[in-house]
Amino acid sequence: MLKDKLLEDLKSSMKDKNIVRKNVIQMVRAAILQVEKDKHVTLDDNQIIDIIAKESKKRKDSLPDYEKSGREDLIKEVKEEIEILSEYLPKQLSLEEVETIVKQIIADEGITSVKDMGKLMKIAKEKIGQASDGKTINEVAKKLLV
């Protein structure tokens, strides 16, 4: 289970004195605990992967701001955090793989225009899951529908 792996990785990062890794894993574990307490549930691996993906997305979204301000120290740290988080996420699909899946959905559902983008995105996100981010799926879908 992913929770157990996170705990083991936390222990090993503490032994190795890898502070960035330890902090990232603690942050993920805290986010999981917060959701579990708020909703009175026990999260399964897919829900934990969703939390990790959200944390990774937050960091990816903050990168351009750090790059504009020239904060090399923060850029390096955020990239390292993204790398650590990506170890717990499913392998990311290539652009070609995403395009193949979206083309298949368009054919199966008979989608012909950008007006059906909502329907397409919903099905694509269900099919692809966390193997690609919504932004990439959206860009591929727009390119195919125009």
Side-chain angles (χ1 to χ4, degrees), residues 79-95:
K79 284 184 178 179
E80 190 175 344
E81 289 176 0
I82 291 169
E83 201 174 294
I84 292 166
L85 290 169
S86 68
E87 292 173 21
Y88 299 99
L89 293 173
K91 179 189 156 292
Q92 296 296 294
L93 297 175
S94 70
L95 206 54

Side-chain angles (χ1 to χ4, degrees), residues 1-136:
M1 197 167 164
L2 199 49
K3 268 194 216 178
D4 299 331
K5 181 172 176 22
L6 285 166
L7 182 59
E8 289 305 312
D9 290 351
L10 177 63
K11 288 177 187 175
S12 67
S13 65
M14 290 168 91
K15 285 179 190 169
D16 299 339
K17 297 190 181 354
N18 185 338
I19 294 167
V20 175
R21 186 175 191 81
K22 176 188 72 101
N23 290 343
V24 169
I25 295 170
Q26 281 181 325
M27 175 271 314
V28 169
R29 293 188 74 231
I32 292 166
L33 188 63
Q34 186 67 48
V35 171
E36 286 182 337
K37 283 192 174 188
D38 289 349
K39 297 183 178 177
H40 305 291
V41 294
T42 302
L43 298 180
D44 63 18
D45 282 357
N46 288 333
Q47 293 165 314
I48 292 171
I49 288 172
D50 288 342
I51 291 171
I52 295 170
K54 283 179 190 165
E55 293 297 332
S56 180
K57 183 179 181 335
K58 282 183 201 174
R59 281 154 182 74
K60 286 177 184 172
D61 290 347
S62 69
L63 263 179
D65 294 333
Y66 294 146
E67 288 168 349
K68 279 183 205 164
S69 63
R71 294 288 308 269
E72 290 301 320
D73 55 330
L74 290 175
I75 293 168
K76 181 180 178 282
E77 186 177 328
V78 169
K79 284 184 178 179
E80 190 175 344
E81 289 176 0
I82 291 169
E83 201 174 294
I84 292 166
L85 290 169
S86 68
E87 292 173 21
Y88 299 99
L89 293 173
K91 179 189 156 292
Q92 296 296 294
L93 297 175
S94 70
L95 206 54
E96 292 79 24
E97 291 170 316
V98 172
E99 195 170 309
T100 303
I101 294 170
V102 172
K103 280 181 183 175
Q104 187 63 48
I105 294 168
I106 290 172
D108 292 348
E109 298 295 322
I111 295 171
T112 56
S113 72
V114 181
K115 290 179 184 173
D116 296 324
M117 183 66 95
K119 179 181 177 184
L120 174 60
M121 287 299 295
K122 182 177 186 279
I123 296 167
K125 280 303 284 175
E126 286 172 3
K127 203 170 218 174
I128 296 171
Q130 295 300 337
S132 184
D133 63 341
K135 183 178 177 186
T136 304

